[in-house]
Amino acid sequence: MQAKSPARTRAQPQDRILEAAMRVFRRHGFRRSSIEQAAEEAHLTRQALYHHFTSKEALFRAVIERLYQGALDAEIAATRAAEEKGGSLADIVIAGLAARLKHLFASLEGSPHIEELFSEHLAQCRDLYLTYSDRYSEQLAATIARAARREGLTLTKGMTPRELARCIEMASKGVKSSYPSMLPADAFIRDHDRMLRLVISGAIAAPPKPSAKKSSRSKPGDRK
């Protein structure tokens, strides 16, 4: 029988704690949750949970970091799948961002405290928010560069994959500001898709017009 690696053995209790904590935060929000509730949900004693996380705030940060990383992983997987299907630049980008947002939304779906949790995570974990915003933008810029190269697309003058990624992220945040809790989900996804397609189409340079070919027909009056 193959022995489990020490790293995997150590990771399992924390995974269980973070999954339990997410359920508690989803059920009660941040302010009304307690570390005792998280310990009970994870079937641990309070002291056993304190061995991993020293406070509710530390536990919340770990939950948010796990959520952000899961969203990035989902985006990478969806992007790869869309590329393998031969999707367009817009299709690939939108598939990746939709997967990222759906992962974030699914983790909080059904909670009556979605707006509080979104607000609290910016207050408690702003450094994580900024770190992962950079990672999302880097991933998106790499996706744009790869897809544009495969399709033979040229971006408009002054536009780079990194700059287009920044514009797409700003457009995405603009749509999210109109739907603070991303609800109703169907309307949010529809508007998000439409906005991103507009931004992407505006960033692609029109292909050069073919040069006019001289007519081989003889004009009336030409000498035969």
PDB file of all heavy atoms in Angstrom, residues 22 30-31 57 60-61 63-65 67-68 104 108 113-130 132-133 136 176 180 182:
ATOM      1  N   MET A  22     -16.657  27.913   4.748  1.00  0.00           N
ATOM      2  CA  MET A  22     -17.409  28.523   3.652  1.00  0.00           C
ATOM      3  C   MET A  22     -18.911  28.326   3.861  1.00  0.00           C
ATOM      4  O   MET A  22     -19.704  29.244   3.649  1.00  0.00           O
ATOM      5  CB  MET A  22     -16.974  27.928   2.309  1.00  0.00           C
ATOM      6  CG  MET A  22     -17.823  28.389   1.130  1.00  0.00           C
ATOM      7  SD  MET A  22     -17.852  30.195   0.918  1.00  0.00           S
ATOM      8  CE  MET A  22     -16.316  30.452   0.054  1.00  0.00           C
ATOM      9  N   PHE A  30     -20.336  37.170   7.388  1.00  0.00           N
ATOM     10  CA  PHE A  30     -19.083  37.251   8.138  1.00  0.00           C
ATOM     11  C   PHE A  30     -19.308  37.695   9.573  1.00  0.00           C
ATOM     12  O   PHE A  30     -18.821  37.077  10.518  1.00  0.00           O
ATOM     13  CB  PHE A  30     -18.115  38.220   7.445  1.00  0.00           C
ATOM     14  CG  PHE A  30     -16.857  38.454   8.232  1.00  0.00           C
ATOM     15  CD1 PHE A  30     -15.851  37.507   8.244  1.00  0.00           C
ATOM     16  CD2 PHE A  30     -16.689  39.610   8.990  1.00  0.00           C
ATOM     17  CE1 PHE A  30     -14.687  37.708   8.982  1.00  0.00           C
ATOM     18  CE2 PHE A  30     -15.535  39.823   9.719  1.00  0.00           C
ATOM     19  CZ  PHE A  30     -14.537  38.872   9.719  1.00  0.00           C
ATOM     20  N   ARG A  31     -20.065  38.758   9.762  1.00  0.00           N
ATOM     21  CA  ARG A  31     -20.188  39.364  11.090  1.00  0.00           C
ATOM     22  C   ARG A  31     -20.844  38.441  12.114  1.00  0.00           C
ATOM     23  O   ARG A  31     -20.476  38.459  13.288  1.00  0.00           O
ATOM     24  CB  ARG A  31     -20.974  40.681  10.984  1.00  0.00           C
ATOM     25  CG  ARG A  31     -20.292  41.734  10.102  1.00  0.00           C
ATOM     26  CD  ARG A  31     -21.039  43.052  10.091  1.00  0.00           C
ATOM     27  NE  ARG A  31     -20.572  43.920   9.019  1.00  0.00           N
ATOM     28  CZ  ARG A  31     -21.136  44.014   7.835  1.00  0.00           C
ATOM     29  NH1 ARG A  31     -22.237  43.308   7.568  1.00  0.00           N
ATOM     30  NH2 ARG A  31     -20.641  44.813   6.904  1.00  0.00           N
ATOM     31  N   GLU A  57     -10.869  36.046  11.439  1.00  0.00           N
ATOM     32  CA  GLU A  57     -10.363  36.829  10.319  1.00  0.00           C
ATOM     33  C   GLU A  57      -9.359  36.016   9.493  1.00  0.00           C
ATOM     34  O   GLU A  57      -9.386  36.057   8.258  1.00  0.00           O
ATOM     35  CB  GLU A  57      -9.707  38.117  10.822  1.00  0.00           C
ATOM     36  CG  GLU A  57     -10.672  39.151  11.368  1.00  0.00           C
ATOM     37  CD  GLU A  57     -11.246  38.777  12.744  1.00  0.00           C
ATOM     38  OE1 GLU A  57     -10.646  37.915  13.431  1.00  0.00           O
ATOM     39  OE2 GLU A  57     -12.290  39.334  13.120  1.00  0.00           O
ATOM     40  N   PHE A  60     -11.268  33.486   7.516  1.00  0.00           N
ATOM     41  CA  PHE A  60     -11.967  34.119   6.395  1.00  0.00           C
ATOM     42  C   PHE A  60     -10.991  34.402   5.250  1.00  0.00           C
ATOM     43  O   PHE A  60     -11.314  34.169   4.077  1.00  0.00           O
ATOM     44  CB  PHE A  60     -12.622  35.413   6.872  1.00  0.00           C
ATOM     45  CG  PHE A  60     -13.505  36.077   5.848  1.00  0.00           C
ATOM     46  CD1 PHE A  60     -14.672  35.472   5.400  1.00  0.00           C
ATOM     47  CD2 PHE A  60     -13.177  37.326   5.344  1.00  0.00           C
ATOM     48  CE1 PHE A  60     -15.491  36.086   4.462  1.00  0.00           C
ATOM     49  CE2 PHE A  60     -13.986  37.960   4.407  1.00  0.00           C
ATOM     50  CZ  PHE A  60     -15.149  37.333   3.966  1.00  0.00           C
ATOM     51  N   ARG A  61      -9.800  34.899   5.590  1.00  0.00           N
ATOM     52  CA  ARG A  61      -8.796  35.165   4.556  1.00  0.00           C
ATOM     53  C   ARG A  61      -8.430  33.882   3.813  1.00  0.00           C
ATOM     54  O   ARG A  61      -8.279  33.886   2.583  1.00  0.00           O
ATOM     55  CB  ARG A  61      -7.532  35.758   5.192  1.00  0.00           C
ATOM     56  CG  ARG A  61      -7.621  37.229   5.522  1.00  0.00           C
ATOM     57  CD  ARG A  61      -6.316  37.711   6.141  1.00  0.00           C
ATOM     58  NE  ARG A  61      -5.176  37.490   5.260  1.00  0.00           N
ATOM     59  CZ  ARG A  61      -4.810  38.317   4.288  1.00  0.00           C
ATOM     60  NH1 ARG A  61      -5.484  39.435   4.063  1.00  0.00           N
ATOM     61  NH2 ARG A  61      -3.759  38.051   3.544  1.00  0.00           N
ATOM     62  N   VAL A  63     -10.300  31.243   3.412  1.00  0.00           N
ATOM     63  CA  VAL A  63     -11.452  30.880   2.583  1.00  0.00           C
ATOM     64  C   VAL A  63     -11.446  31.698   1.293  1.00  0.00           C
ATOM     65  O   VAL A  63     -11.656  31.163   0.194  1.00  0.00           O
ATOM     66  CB  VAL A  63     -12.769  31.097   3.354  1.00  0.00           C
ATOM     67  CG1 VAL A  63     -13.971  31.051   2.420  1.00  0.00           C
ATOM     68  CG2 VAL A  63     -12.925  30.035   4.446  1.00  0.00           C
ATOM     69  N   ILE A  64     -11.204  32.995   1.415  1.00  0.00           N
ATOM     70  CA  ILE A  64     -11.206  33.873   0.243  1.00  0.00           C
ATOM     71  C   ILE A  64     -10.056  33.526  -0.700  1.00  0.00           C
ATOM     72  O   ILE A  64     -10.235  33.488  -1.930  1.00  0.00           O
ATOM     73  CB  ILE A  64     -11.116  35.354   0.675  1.00  0.00           C
ATOM     74  CG1 ILE A  64     -12.382  35.759   1.446  1.00  0.00           C
ATOM     75  CG2 ILE A  64     -10.912  36.252  -0.533  1.00  0.00           C
ATOM     76  CD1 ILE A  64     -13.676  35.601   0.674  1.00  0.00           C
ATOM     77  N   GLU A  65      -8.883  33.246  -0.151  1.00  0.00           N
ATOM     78  CA  GLU A  65      -7.745  32.894  -1.007  1.00  0.00           C
ATOM     79  C   GLU A  65      -8.029  31.596  -1.763  1.00  0.00           C
ATOM     80  O   GLU A  65      -7.727  31.478  -2.964  1.00  0.00           O
ATOM     81  CB  GLU A  65      -6.469  32.753  -0.181  1.00  0.00           C
ATOM     82  CG  GLU A  65      -5.249  32.481  -1.041  1.00  0.00           C
ATOM     83  CD  GLU A  65      -3.939  32.638  -0.292  1.00  0.00           C
ATOM     84  OE1 GLU A  65      -3.955  32.639   0.951  1.00  0.00           O
ATOM     85  OE2 GLU A  65      -2.898  32.753  -0.968  1.00  0.00           O
ATOM     86  N   LEU A  67     -10.954  30.500  -2.569  1.00  0.00           N
ATOM     87  CA  LEU A  67     -11.988  30.837  -3.544  1.00  0.00           C
ATOM     88  C   LEU A  67     -11.373  31.495  -4.780  1.00  0.00           C
ATOM     89  O   LEU A  67     -11.689  31.147  -5.922  1.00  0.00           O
ATOM     90  CB  LEU A  67     -13.004  31.769  -2.891  1.00  0.00           C
ATOM     91  CG  LEU A  67     -14.238  32.175  -3.688  1.00  0.00           C
ATOM     92  CD1 LEU A  67     -15.038  30.969  -4.109  1.00  0.00           C
ATOM     93  CD2 LEU A  67     -15.105  33.122  -2.849  1.00  0.00           C
ATOM     94  N   TYR A  68     -10.470  32.446  -4.566  1.00  0.00           N
ATOM     95  CA  TYR A  68      -9.792  33.127  -5.672  1.00  0.00           C
ATOM     96  C   TYR A  68      -8.980  32.137  -6.512  1.00  0.00           C
ATOM     97  O   TYR A  68      -8.995  32.182  -7.743  1.00  0.00           O
ATOM     98  CB  TYR A  68      -8.861  34.203  -5.138  1.00  0.00           C
ATOM     99  CG  TYR A  68      -9.523  35.511  -4.773  1.00  0.00           C
ATOM    100  CD1 TYR A  68      -8.956  36.347  -3.804  1.00  0.00           C
ATOM    101  CD2 TYR A  68     -10.690  35.939  -5.392  1.00  0.00           C
ATOM    102  CE1 TYR A  68      -9.541  37.555  -3.469  1.00  0.00           C
ATOM    103  CE2 TYR A  68     -11.278  37.144  -5.067  1.00  0.00           C
ATOM    104  CZ  TYR A  68     -10.703  37.951  -4.104  1.00  0.00           C
ATOM    105  OH  TYR A  68     -11.291  39.152  -3.773  1.00  0.00           O
ATOM    106  N   LEU A 104     -16.937  31.821  -8.524  1.00  0.00           N
ATOM    107  CA  LEU A 104     -17.121  32.734  -7.394  1.00  0.00           C
ATOM    108  C   LEU A 104     -18.579  32.775  -6.959  1.00  0.00           C
ATOM    109  O   LEU A 104     -18.886  32.737  -5.762  1.00  0.00           O
ATOM    110  CB  LEU A 104     -16.639  34.139  -7.774  1.00  0.00           C
ATOM    111  CG  LEU A 104     -15.140  34.293  -8.052  1.00  0.00           C
ATOM    112  CD1 LEU A 104     -14.850  35.669  -8.630  1.00  0.00           C
ATOM    113  CD2 LEU A 104     -14.327  34.056  -6.780  1.00  0.00           C
ATOM    114  N   LEU A 108     -21.066  31.079  -3.328  1.00  0.00           N
ATOM    115  CA  LEU A 108     -21.914  31.889  -2.443  1.00  0.00           C
ATOM    116  C   LEU A 108     -23.401  31.773  -2.785  1.00  0.00           C
ATOM    117  O   LEU A 108     -24.226  32.403  -2.126  1.00  0.00           O
ATOM    118  CB  LEU A 108     -21.492  33.359  -2.536  1.00  0.00           C
ATOM    119  CG  LEU A 108     -20.034  33.650  -2.184  1.00  0.00           C
ATOM    120  CD1 LEU A 108     -19.710  35.111  -2.472  1.00  0.00           C
ATOM    121  CD2 LEU A 108     -19.738  33.315  -0.734  1.00  0.00           C
ATOM    122  N   HIS A 113     -26.478  36.546   2.388  1.00  0.00           N
ATOM    123  CA  HIS A 113     -25.461  37.527   2.817  1.00  0.00           C
ATOM    124  C   HIS A 113     -24.438  37.802   1.719  1.00  0.00           C
ATOM    125  O   HIS A 113     -23.317  38.232   2.023  1.00  0.00           O
ATOM    126  CB  HIS A 113     -24.742  37.009   4.066  1.00  0.00           C
ATOM    127  CG  HIS A 113     -25.652  36.609   5.177  1.00  0.00           C
ATOM    128  ND1 HIS A 113     -26.307  37.522   5.976  1.00  0.00           N
ATOM    129  CD2 HIS A 113     -26.056  35.368   5.589  1.00  0.00           C
ATOM    130  CE1 HIS A 113     -27.047  36.868   6.857  1.00  0.00           C
ATOM    131  NE2 HIS A 113     -26.921  35.567   6.644  1.00  0.00           N
ATOM    132  N   ILE A 114     -24.804  37.592   0.458  1.00  0.00           N
ATOM    133  CA  ILE A 114     -23.829  37.744  -0.631  1.00  0.00           C
ATOM    134  C   ILE A 114     -23.223  39.144  -0.652  1.00  0.00           C
ATOM    135  O   ILE A 114     -21.997  39.310  -0.719  1.00  0.00           O
ATOM    136  CB  ILE A 114     -24.473  37.420  -1.997  1.00  0.00           C
ATOM    137  CG1 ILE A 114     -24.777  35.927  -2.090  1.00  0.00           C
ATOM    138  CG2 ILE A 114     -23.541  37.817  -3.134  1.00  0.00           C
ATOM    139  CD1 ILE A 114     -25.420  35.506  -3.395  1.00  0.00           C
ATOM    140  N   GLU A 115     -24.059  40.169  -0.571  1.00  0.00           N
ATOM    141  CA  GLU A 115     -23.542  41.542  -0.645  1.00  0.00           C
ATOM    142  C   GLU A 115     -22.626  41.853   0.535  1.00  0.00           C
ATOM    143  O   GLU A 115     -21.591  42.501   0.378  1.00  0.00           O
ATOM    144  CB  GLU A 115     -24.699  42.535  -0.722  1.00  0.00           C
ATOM    145  CG  GLU A 115     -25.446  42.468  -2.053  1.00  0.00           C
ATOM    146  CD  GLU A 115     -26.428  43.609  -2.236  1.00  0.00           C
ATOM    147  OE1 GLU A 115     -26.217  44.681  -1.638  1.00  0.00           O
ATOM    148  OE2 GLU A 115     -27.403  43.433  -2.984  1.00  0.00           O
ATOM    149  N   GLU A 116     -22.982  41.365   1.721  1.00  0.00           N
ATOM    150  CA  GLU A 116     -22.121  41.584   2.892  1.00  0.00           C
ATOM    151  C   GLU A 116     -20.780  40.881   2.702  1.00  0.00           C
ATOM    152  O   GLU A 116     -19.718  41.459   2.996  1.00  0.00           O
ATOM    153  CB  GLU A 116     -22.791  41.048   4.162  1.00  0.00           C
ATOM    154  CG  GLU A 116     -21.936  41.265   5.410  1.00  0.00           C
ATOM    155  CD  GLU A 116     -22.180  40.224   6.502  1.00  0.00           C
ATOM    156  OE1 GLU A 116     -23.272  39.626   6.535  1.00  0.00           O
ATOM    157  OE2 GLU A 116     -21.247  40.016   7.306  1.00  0.00           O
ATOM    158  N   LEU A 117     -20.801  39.645   2.196  1.00  0.00           N
ATOM    159  CA  LEU A 117     -19.566  38.897   2.018  1.00  0.00           C
ATOM    160  C   LEU A 117     -18.667  39.538   0.962  1.00  0.00           C
ATOM    161  O   LEU A 117     -17.443  39.602   1.135  1.00  0.00           O
ATOM    162  CB  LEU A 117     -19.885  37.442   1.654  1.00  0.00           C
ATOM    163  CG  LEU A 117     -20.508  36.622   2.789  1.00  0.00           C
ATOM    164  CD1 LEU A 117     -21.018  35.279   2.260  1.00  0.00           C
ATOM    165  CD2 LEU A 117     -19.499  36.397   3.918  1.00  0.00           C
ATOM    166  N   PHE A 118     -19.259  40.025  -0.127  1.00  0.00           N
ATOM    167  CA  PHE A 118     -18.470  40.723  -1.138  1.00  0.00           C
ATOM    168  C   PHE A 118     -17.841  41.980  -0.544  1.00  0.00           C
ATOM    169  O   PHE A 118     -16.666  42.290  -0.777  1.00  0.00           O
ATOM    170  CB  PHE A 118     -19.345  41.101  -2.337  1.00  0.00           C
ATOM    171  CG  PHE A 118     -19.414  40.032  -3.390  1.00  0.00           C
ATOM    172  CD1 PHE A 118     -20.609  39.417  -3.701  1.00  0.00           C
ATOM    173  CD2 PHE A 118     -18.273  39.634  -4.071  1.00  0.00           C
ATOM    174  CE1 PHE A 118     -20.673  38.418  -4.673  1.00  0.00           C
ATOM    175  CE2 PHE A 118     -18.322  38.647  -5.050  1.00  0.00           C
ATOM    176  CZ  PHE A 118     -19.534  38.043  -5.343  1.00  0.00           C
ATOM    177  N   SER A 119     -18.642  42.728   0.234  1.00  0.00           N
ATOM    178  CA  SER A 119     -18.132  43.954   0.842  1.00  0.00           C
ATOM    179  C   SER A 119     -17.057  43.641   1.882  1.00  0.00           C
ATOM    180  O   SER A 119     -16.007  44.301   1.931  1.00  0.00           O
ATOM    181  CB  SER A 119     -19.295  44.704   1.497  1.00  0.00           C
ATOM    182  OG  SER A 119     -18.830  45.796   2.244  1.00  0.00           O
ATOM    183  N   GLU A 120     -17.296  42.628   2.691  1.00  0.00           N
ATOM    184  CA  GLU A 120     -16.371  42.293   3.777  1.00  0.00           C
ATOM    185  C   GLU A 120     -15.051  41.757   3.244  1.00  0.00           C
ATOM    186  O   GLU A 120     -13.991  42.017   3.820  1.00  0.00           O
ATOM    187  CB  GLU A 120     -17.023  41.266   4.707  1.00  0.00           C
ATOM    188  CG  GLU A 120     -16.409  41.198   6.089  1.00  0.00           C
ATOM    189  CD  GLU A 120     -16.591  42.491   6.886  1.00  0.00           C
ATOM    190  OE1 GLU A 120     -17.688  43.078   6.839  1.00  0.00           O
ATOM    191  OE2 GLU A 120     -15.617  42.897   7.560  1.00  0.00           O
ATOM    192  N   HIS A 121     -15.110  41.035   2.153  1.00  0.00           N
ATOM    193  CA  HIS A 121     -13.856  40.478   1.642  1.00  0.00           C
ATOM    194  C   HIS A 121     -12.942  41.585   1.125  1.00  0.00           C
ATOM    195  O   HIS A 121     -11.720  41.476   1.188  1.00  0.00           O
ATOM    196  CB  HIS A 121     -14.126  39.406   0.576  1.00  0.00           C
ATOM    197  CG  HIS A 121     -14.006  39.862  -0.837  1.00  0.00           C
ATOM    198  ND1 HIS A 121     -15.017  40.501  -1.506  1.00  0.00           N
ATOM    199  CD2 HIS A 121     -12.959  39.776  -1.717  1.00  0.00           C
ATOM    200  CE1 HIS A 121     -14.619  40.778  -2.734  1.00  0.00           C
ATOM    201  NE2 HIS A 121     -13.387  40.361  -2.893  1.00  0.00           N
ATOM    202  N   LEU A 122     -13.510  42.693   0.663  1.00  0.00           N
ATOM    203  CA  LEU A 122     -12.680  43.824   0.252  1.00  0.00           C
ATOM    204  C   LEU A 122     -12.069  44.523   1.461  1.00  0.00           C
ATOM    205  O   LEU A 122     -10.945  45.043   1.395  1.00  0.00           O
ATOM    206  CB  LEU A 122     -13.516  44.813  -0.570  1.00  0.00           C
ATOM    207  CG  LEU A 122     -13.933  44.337  -1.959  1.00  0.00           C
ATOM    208  CD1 LEU A 122     -14.859  45.351  -2.610  1.00  0.00           C
ATOM    209  CD2 LEU A 122     -12.727  44.063  -2.838  1.00  0.00           C
ATOM    210  N   ALA A 123     -12.812  44.539   2.557  1.00  0.00           N
ATOM    211  CA  ALA A 123     -12.297  45.168   3.770  1.00  0.00           C
ATOM    212  C   ALA A 123     -11.246  44.305   4.455  1.00  0.00           C
ATOM    213  O   ALA A 123     -10.215  44.802   4.930  1.00  0.00           O
ATOM    214  CB  ALA A 123     -13.451  45.449   4.731  1.00  0.00           C
ATOM    215  N   GLN A 124     -11.494  42.993   4.509  1.00  0.00           N
ATOM    216  CA  GLN A 124     -10.614  42.080   5.234  1.00  0.00           C
ATOM    217  C   GLN A 124      -9.438  41.573   4.393  1.00  0.00           C
ATOM    218  O   GLN A 124      -8.389  41.226   4.945  1.00  0.00           O
ATOM    219  CB  GLN A 124     -11.420  40.860   5.722  1.00  0.00           C
ATOM    220  CG  GLN A 124     -12.541  41.176   6.685  1.00  0.00           C
ATOM    221  CD  GLN A 124     -12.023  41.474   8.077  1.00  0.00           C
ATOM    222  OE1 GLN A 124     -10.923  41.061   8.447  1.00  0.00           O
ATOM    223  NE2 GLN A 124     -12.815  42.190   8.856  1.00  0.00           N
ATOM    224  N   CYS A 125      -9.625  41.517   3.085  1.00  0.00           N
ATOM    225  CA  CYS A 125      -8.647  40.823   2.237  1.00  0.00           C
ATOM    226  C   CYS A 125      -8.257  41.643   1.015  1.00  0.00           C
ATOM    227  O   CYS A 125      -8.091  41.093  -0.087  1.00  0.00           O
ATOM    228  CB  CYS A 125      -9.212  39.474   1.776  1.00  0.00           C
ATOM    229  SG  CYS A 125     -10.021  38.504   3.054  1.00  0.00           S
ATOM    230  N   ARG A 126      -8.142  42.932   1.161  1.00  0.00           N
ATOM    231  CA  ARG A 126      -7.868  43.780   0.000  1.00  0.00           C
ATOM    232  C   ARG A 126      -6.549  43.411  -0.666  1.00  0.00           C
ATOM    233  O   ARG A 126      -6.411  43.491  -1.891  1.00  0.00           O
ATOM    234  CB  ARG A 126      -7.875  45.259   0.395  1.00  0.00           C
ATOM    235  CG  ARG A 126      -7.725  46.172  -0.818  1.00  0.00           C
ATOM    236  CD  ARG A 126      -8.284  47.547  -0.588  1.00  0.00           C
ATOM    237  NE  ARG A 126      -8.295  48.312  -1.828  1.00  0.00           N
ATOM    238  CZ  ARG A 126      -9.247  48.241  -2.750  1.00  0.00           C
ATOM    239  NH1 ARG A 126     -10.273  47.430  -2.563  1.00  0.00           N
ATOM    240  NH2 ARG A 126      -9.186  48.962  -3.853  1.00  0.00           N
ATOM    241  N   ASP A 127      -5.556  43.016   0.108  1.00  0.00           N
ATOM    242  CA  ASP A 127      -4.280  42.624  -0.484  1.00  0.00           C
ATOM    243  C   ASP A 127      -4.437  41.383  -1.365  1.00  0.00           C
ATOM    244  O   ASP A 127      -3.835  41.294  -2.443  1.00  0.00           O
ATOM    245  CB  ASP A 127      -3.231  42.384   0.603  1.00  0.00           C
ATOM    246  CG  ASP A 127      -3.647  41.306   1.589  1.00  0.00           C
ATOM    247  OD1 ASP A 127      -4.851  41.238   1.932  1.00  0.00           O
ATOM    248  OD2 ASP A 127      -2.777  40.532   2.032  1.00  0.00           O
ATOM    249  N   LEU A 128      -5.254  40.434  -0.927  1.00  0.00           N
ATOM    250  CA  LEU A 128      -5.508  39.249  -1.743  1.00  0.00           C
ATOM    251  C   LEU A 128      -6.266  39.622  -3.010  1.00  0.00           C
ATOM    252  O   LEU A 128      -5.991  39.099  -4.092  1.00  0.00           O
ATOM    253  CB  LEU A 128      -6.329  38.216  -0.948  1.00  0.00           C
ATOM    254  CG  LEU A 128      -5.614  37.520   0.202  1.00  0.00           C
ATOM    255  CD1 LEU A 128      -6.585  36.600   0.941  1.00  0.00           C
ATOM    256  CD2 LEU A 128      -4.417  36.727  -0.305  1.00  0.00           C
ATOM    257  N   TYR A 129      -7.210  40.535  -2.856  1.00  0.00           N
ATOM    258  CA  TYR A 129      -7.982  41.001  -4.011  1.00  0.00           C
ATOM    259  C   TYR A 129      -7.045  41.604  -5.062  1.00  0.00           C
ATOM    260  O   TYR A 129      -7.143  41.292  -6.258  1.00  0.00           O
ATOM    261  CB  TYR A 129      -9.005  42.033  -3.555  1.00  0.00           C
ATOM    262  CG  TYR A 129      -9.721  42.745  -4.676  1.00  0.00           C
ATOM    263  CD1 TYR A 129     -10.768  42.138  -5.361  1.00  0.00           C
ATOM    264  CD2 TYR A 129      -9.335  44.043  -5.059  1.00  0.00           C
ATOM    265  CE1 TYR A 129     -11.414  42.788  -6.399  1.00  0.00           C
ATOM    266  CE2 TYR A 129      -9.982  44.701  -6.090  1.00  0.00           C
ATOM    267  CZ  TYR A 129     -11.021  44.068  -6.755  1.00  0.00           C
ATOM    268  OH  TYR A 129     -11.651  44.714  -7.788  1.00  0.00           O
ATOM    269  N   LEU A 130      -6.098  42.432  -4.635  1.00  0.00           N
ATOM    270  CA  LEU A 130      -5.165  43.074  -5.562  1.00  0.00           C
ATOM    271  C   LEU A 130      -4.204  42.054  -6.175  1.00  0.00           C
ATOM    272  O   LEU A 130      -3.906  42.108  -7.375  1.00  0.00           O
ATOM    273  CB  LEU A 130      -4.389  44.179  -4.844  1.00  0.00           C
ATOM    274  CG  LEU A 130      -5.234  45.365  -4.358  1.00  0.00           C
ATOM    275  CD1 LEU A 130      -4.384  46.313  -3.512  1.00  0.00           C
ATOM    276  CD2 LEU A 130      -5.860  46.107  -5.532  1.00  0.00           C
ATOM    277  N   TYR A 132      -4.699  38.805  -6.663  1.00  0.00           N
ATOM    278  CA  TYR A 132      -5.369  37.952  -7.642  1.00  0.00           C
ATOM    279  C   TYR A 132      -5.890  38.746  -8.829  1.00  0.00           C
ATOM    280  O   TYR A 132      -5.997  38.196  -9.933  1.00  0.00           O
ATOM    281  CB  TYR A 132      -6.470  37.121  -6.972  1.00  0.00           C
ATOM    282  CG  TYR A 132      -5.919  35.857  -6.374  1.00  0.00           C
ATOM    283  CD1 TYR A 132      -5.451  35.829  -5.067  1.00  0.00           C
ATOM    284  CD2 TYR A 132      -5.812  34.703  -7.138  1.00  0.00           C
ATOM    285  CE1 TYR A 132      -4.903  34.673  -4.530  1.00  0.00           C
ATOM    286  CE2 TYR A 132      -5.265  33.545  -6.614  1.00  0.00           C
ATOM    287  CZ  TYR A 132      -4.810  33.530  -5.311  1.00  0.00           C
ATOM    288  OH  TYR A 132      -4.260  32.380  -4.797  1.00  0.00           O
ATOM    289  N   SER A 133      -6.176  40.013  -8.662  1.00  0.00           N
ATOM    290  CA  SER A 133      -6.530  40.845  -9.814  1.00  0.00           C
ATOM    291  C   SER A 133      -5.373  40.881 -10.803  1.00  0.00           C
ATOM    292  O   SER A 133      -5.576  40.790 -12.023  1.00  0.00           O
ATOM    293  CB  SER A 133      -6.872  42.269  -9.363  1.00  0.00           C
ATOM    294  OG  SER A 133      -8.091  42.292  -8.662  1.00  0.00           O
ATOM    295  N   TYR A 136      -5.180  37.410 -12.478  1.00  0.00           N
ATOM    296  CA  TYR A 136      -6.228  37.259 -13.484  1.00  0.00           C
ATOM    297  C   TYR A 136      -5.860  38.019 -14.752  1.00  0.00           C
ATOM    298  O   TYR A 136      -6.050  37.519 -15.867  1.00  0.00           O
ATOM    299  CB  TYR A 136      -7.564  37.777 -12.946  1.00  0.00           C
ATOM    300  CG  TYR A 136      -8.153  36.989 -11.795  1.00  0.00           C
ATOM    301  CD1 TYR A 136      -8.921  37.626 -10.817  1.00  0.00           C
ATOM    302  CD2 TYR A 136      -7.954  35.624 -11.676  1.00  0.00           C
ATOM    303  CE1 TYR A 136      -9.468  36.911  -9.760  1.00  0.00           C
ATOM    304  CE2 TYR A 136      -8.494  34.907 -10.621  1.00  0.00           C
ATOM    305  CZ  TYR A 136      -9.254  35.549  -9.658  1.00  0.00           C
ATOM    306  OH  TYR A 136      -9.805  34.847  -8.618  1.00  0.00           O
ATOM    307  N   LYS A 176     -20.359  44.262 -13.286  1.00  0.00           N
ATOM    308  CA  LYS A 176     -20.585  43.790 -11.910  1.00  0.00           C
ATOM    309  C   LYS A 176     -21.085  44.904 -11.002  1.00  0.00           C
ATOM    310  O   LYS A 176     -21.841  44.649 -10.072  1.00  0.00           O
ATOM    311  CB  LYS A 176     -19.299  43.179 -11.335  1.00  0.00           C
ATOM    312  CG  LYS A 176     -19.018  41.773 -11.846  1.00  0.00           C
ATOM    313  CD  LYS A 176     -17.865  41.108 -11.126  1.00  0.00           C
ATOM    314  CE  LYS A 176     -16.546  41.625 -11.605  1.00  0.00           C
ATOM    315  NZ  LYS A 176     -15.397  40.890 -11.036  1.00  0.00           N
ATOM    316  N   PRO A 180     -24.508  44.111  -8.191  1.00  0.00           N
ATOM    317  CA  PRO A 180     -23.602  43.920  -7.050  1.00  0.00           C
ATOM    318  C   PRO A 180     -23.499  42.479  -6.558  1.00  0.00           C
ATOM    319  O   PRO A 180     -22.428  42.047  -6.137  1.00  0.00           O
ATOM    320  CB  PRO A 180     -24.212  44.825  -5.973  1.00  0.00           C
ATOM    321  CG  PRO A 180     -24.968  45.857  -6.735  1.00  0.00           C
ATOM    322  CD  PRO A 180     -25.499  45.175  -7.945  1.00  0.00           C
ATOM    323  N   MET A 182     -24.418  39.890  -8.572  1.00  0.00           N
ATOM    324  CA  MET A 182     -24.468  39.112  -9.811  1.00  0.00           C
ATOM    325  C   MET A 182     -25.838  38.449 -10.009  1.00  0.00           C
ATOM    326  O   MET A 182     -25.944  37.365 -10.570  1.00  0.00           O
ATOM    327  CB  MET A 182     -23.339  38.078  -9.853  1.00  0.00           C
ATOM    328  CG  MET A 182     -21.974  38.709  -9.958  1.00  0.00           C
ATOM    329  SD  MET A 182     -20.626  37.560 -10.360  1.00  0.00           S
ATOM    330  CE  MET A 182     -20.416  36.728  -8.791  1.00  0.00           C
TER     331      MET A 182
END
